[in-house]
Amino acid sequence: MKTSIINNPADAALEITAGRIVALPTETVYGLAADALNPSAVLKIYETKKRPDFNPLIVHVSGIEEFEKYAEIIPESVFKIAETYSPGPITYVLNKNSVIPDIVTAGIDTVALRIPAHPLFRQVLTMCGKPIAAPSANMFGRISPTTAEDVLKELDGKIGYVLDGGRCRIGIESTVVRFEDDKIIILRHGFVTKEDIEKVTGKEVTTLKGKASKISSPGMLLSHYSPHTPLYIAEDLEYFKNVNANAGIVDFGVYRDLKETALNLFSDLRIADEKNFNYLVTRLVENKGLGRAINDRLVKASSGRAVVENGSVLFSKK
Ligand code: AMP
Ligand code: MG
């Protein structure tokens, strides 16, 4: 199959309506999209990405008024968060009704709903008149794509079309939040921070870790967002600049703030990955606010491989 980059959202909408999959731009990263109400179309997403079948997909809708079509109970906090952050990079995990097919949610009884902000994605939603299931448009476990060309590098020959919406303006995935009784729980850190959510809801927000996280959010794996070249996390990048071992330094310290770091995170990893280094080395950012989402991606991109200081391994899960 030849993969073409296209510019007309109507062509992308036709693909989805016909039960095929197509890559679409969102403000976070590019998505691989299918009609969420068509199980055989959704199956193509899992097959194409080689995504494990226990990993549920995010369903995109055009507005919050759509939520009641697919979710049972919508807590007040959802409306409060949405007032400020939707359309945008936040995903709400709610108890599902029977309209969304089980394959979309990997058989669990919740559905993840997001209202994307990218104008082209929104046009496709309106033209299709259907909810759209879309994980990131990369092969499973790999770096998320933030341009149409990145999608081609991942999926060339596997899909018909990539709708080109330019470079994603955010560059890191949505925050995934779950609502339980009166509690708000972050399942995946993303562009909207814990502090942002606390401010608009007036409630304390918690983060799930370890085993609890695996049960509540299947698909959150230790290894993800990974370059082909082994990535190590170090304390002292200066040391590696002087080591003659063909190491690629990915230094996010060059950016002015965390938003700019998030914007360049995946593209810098991808560029470094294409340069035939023996290994890559990076450093974590300060672990607060948006820094939590950035560090989550970096730790997973390194597959828990190692934390090194002055060349000696301090911590390794491999
Ligand atoms: P991706 O679209 O690949 O960026 O990943 C979306 C992530 O959202 C998945 O890996 C899941 O961990 C999470 N997710 C999607 N649907 C649900 C759900 N119903 N309950 C909990 N987590 C979910
Ligand atoms: Mg992904």
Side-chain angles (χ1 to χ4, degrees):
M1 186 191 301
K2 189 180 160 333
T3 306
S4 310
I5 294 186
I6 56 173
N7 296 295
N8 186 351
D11 293 335
L14 271 178
E15 287 294 291
I16 291 176
T17 308
R20 290 188 285 270
I21 57 175
V22 61
L24 299 181
T26 87
E27 69 278 20
T28 58
V29 303
Y30 273 70
L32 185 59
D35 174 354
L37 302 183
N38 179 341
S40 65
V42 172
L43 178 63
K44 290 177 193 163
I45 294 180
Y46 285 93
E47 287 175 347
T48 303
K49 283 190 56 143
K50 297 204 184 336
R51 186 179 175 101
D53 62 7
F54 58 80
N55 196 343
L57 307 178
I58 294 175
V59 175
H60 299 74
V61 297
S62 54
I64 195 144
E65 62 286 351
E66 298 271 302
F67 280 21
E68 63 187 21
K69 291 188 189 166
Y70 312 113
E72 289 285 347
I73 302 159
I74 304 154
E76 196 50 39
S77 295
V78 171
F79 294 98
K80 286 198 178 140
I81 300 168
E83 241 173 67
T84 306
Y85 294 109
S86 293
I90 185 135
T91 298
Y92 309 90
V93 173
L94 302 170
N95 291 337
K96 83 187 265 292
N97 64 22
S98 58
V99 179
I100 296 288
D102 284 344
I103 185 170
V104 173
T105 62
I108 60 178
D109 56 7
T110 56
V111 60
L113 295 173
R114 173 159 109 84
I115 306 164
H118 196 292
L120 287 183
F121 200 120
R122 297 187 62 77
Q123 283 181 48
V124 174
L125 275 170
T126 308
M127 288 168 182
C128 293
K130 296 272 183 60
I132 293 179
S136 49
N138 49 273
M139 293 304 288
F140 177 71
R142 285 266 303 146
I143 306 173
S144 306
T146 54
T147 64
E149 292 73 27
D150 289 351
V151 177
L152 273 192
K153 285 176 190 158
E154 290 288 321
L155 300 175
D156 196 11
K158 297 192 164 77
I159 56 175
Y161 302 99
V162 183
L163 179 62
D164 191 352
R167 188 164 180 209
C168 300
R169 94 183 139 74
I170 287 178
I172 197 166
E173 289 86 353
S174 63
T175 308
V176 179
V177 271
R178 165 110 179 98
F179 303 84
E180 245 166 51
D181 305 323
D182 209 29
K183 287 200 286 260
I184 305 175
I185 304 153
I186 291 185
L187 301 179
R188 174 178 75 186
H189 288 294
F191 190 74
V192 179
T193 65
K194 174 178 183 309
E195 292 79 5
D196 291 335
I197 300 170
E198 286 177 341
K199 200 164 169 200
V200 294
T201 58
K203 289 187 179 163
E204 198 194 331
V205 174
T206 55
T207 306
L208 278 192
K209 293 203 181 88
K211 202 172 167 197
S213 149
K214 279 206 190 90
I215 295 165
S216 282
S217 196
M220 299 285 175
L221 305 172
L222 175 65
S223 176
H224 209 141
Y225 317 107
S226 301
H228 293 301
T229 319
L231 173 71
Y232 289 82
I233 292 171
E235 296 271 311
D236 179 12
L237 290 183
E238 287 307 314
Y239 171 84
F240 290 93
K241 286 180 185 160
N242 303 318
V243 174
N244 188 13
N246 194 26
I249 311 289
V250 189
D251 185 1
F252 295 106
V254 299
Y255 296 114
R256 271 176 309 181
D257 56 27
L258 292 175
K259 282 190 180 164
E260 204 177 276
T261 303
L263 179 63
N264 290 287
L265 179 73
F266 291 130
S267 52
D268 281 4
L269 285 174
R270 192 176 281 279
I271 290 165
D273 197 21
E274 287 167 2
K275 286 194 175 151
N276 289 319
F277 289 115
N278 289 345
Y279 62 98
L280 305 178
V281 192
T282 193
R283 181 170 44 196
L284 299 182
V285 299
E286 197 184 350
N287 203 44
K288 62 179 202 197
L290 181 53
R292 292 192 199 97
I294 293 167
N295 287 342
D296 166 71
R297 306 307 185 274
L298 289 175
V299 168
K300 287 178 178 165
S302 76
S303 310
R305 188 171 279 106
V307 176
V308 277
E309 190 170 22
N310 293 339
S312 54
V313 175
L314 293 183
F315 163 83
S316 177
K317 286 212 170 170
K318 290 226 159 153

